[in-house]
Amino acid sequence: MAKIRSTTVVGIYHNGEVCVGADGQATMDKHVAKSNVKKIRKLLDGKIVTGFAGSTADAFTLLERFEEKLNAYQSNMKRAAIELAKDWRKDQYLRKLEAMMVVANKEELLIISGTGDVLEPDNQIAAIGSGSMFAHAAALALKKHAPHLTAEEMVRESLNIAADICIYTNHNLVIEKPKQ
């Protein structure tokens, strides 16, 4: 059975601003199955932005669980992510889910991995998915050599560079910032 794959999600914290973006491509085997998938979601009336990679059904399951944790822990994103990761490791059903998430609020950027880890990314750049290494490398270069750009401009350009060189990434971008 052909596996549906491919996503590039990147989040950047730069000069007091956070932004998360993703491309729109889903690939089945060697063919583009869909070119305008929406991989970015807003939670808590836009105060938290999430981007997901992996199985869509699994990602939505994790998003629902994450939102439950946010409600249980008074919108504390880091605490909700850690509690989700604990459940992910303990729960036999959750352990089989194949997805990752980038989550961001106005102050923080986290990666919640498919192994139940919560990571605060180095250099305040979070990238997941098939094209993540391309987008991550581009974001590092932009932060170092074009610090005058906004986080949103860096996310957009990182994703466009990834789309130019990664066959699993396209130029149909969705980019969001958490509400202040």
Side-chain angles (χ1 to χ4, degrees):
M1 181 175 205
K3 190 173 187 178
I4 295 177
R5 54 177 286 175
S6 306
T7 295
T8 303
V9 177
V10 65
I12 298 175
Y13 184 92
H14 181 69
N15 290 338
E17 178 187 52
V18 181
C19 193
V20 179
D23 77 309
Q25 185 165 305
T27 307
M28 187 180 299
D29 193 26
K30 296 175 184 137
H31 307 282
V32 175
K34 188 166 171 73
S35 64
N36 61 349
V37 178
K38 303 293 184 230
K39 303 167 190 170
I40 302 293
R41 296 288 185 269
K42 292 181 178 182
L43 303 174
L44 299 178
D45 296 320
K47 292 179 185 162
I48 293 181
V49 175
T50 66
F52 63 86
S55 162
T56 303
D58 290 355
F60 279 113
T61 299
L62 291 171
L63 282 169
E64 288 172 8
R65 295 283 183 112
F66 182 59
E67 195 163 26
E68 288 171 8
K69 296 296 182 187
L70 285 167
N71 291 328
Y73 293 100
Q74 295 78 40
S75 305
N76 182 325
M77 188 180 78
K78 190 180 287 186
R79 176 76 188 273
I82 290 167
E83 294 302 322
L84 175 63
K86 286 180 187 178
D87 287 354
W88 202 336
R89 288 179 177 214
K90 289 190 264 180
D91 187 293
Q92 194 170 5
Y93 170 73
L94 288 178
R95 273 186 290 188
K96 294 179 182 174
L97 298 180
E98 296 180 13
M100 294 179 74
M101 295 191 310
V102 170
V103 298
N105 62 20
K106 65 181 181 174
E107 300 156 348
E108 296 180 285
L109 183 63
L110 302 172
I111 297 172
I112 305 174
S113 79
T115 55
D117 293 315
V118 177
L119 307 168
E120 291 182 275
D122 289 341
N123 303 305
Q124 299 174 321
I125 300 168
I128 59 173
S130 302
S132 64
M133 291 301 105
F134 301 111
H136 191 265
L140 281 170
L142 290 168
K143 279 192 102 167
K144 182 175 183 180
H145 299 289
H148 62 280
L149 295 177
T150 66
E152 182 173 354
E153 291 167 330
M154 288 181 180
V155 165
R156 184 175 311 284
E157 191 58 25
S158 296
L159 287 168
N160 279 321
I161 290 168
D164 287 344
I165 55 179
C166 176
I167 63 170
Y168 298 112
T169 306
N170 70 16
H171 289 277
N172 292 339
L173 308 180
V174 174
I175 299 172
E176 297 285 354
K177 293 190 280 189
K179 281 185 182 177
Q180 296 295 321

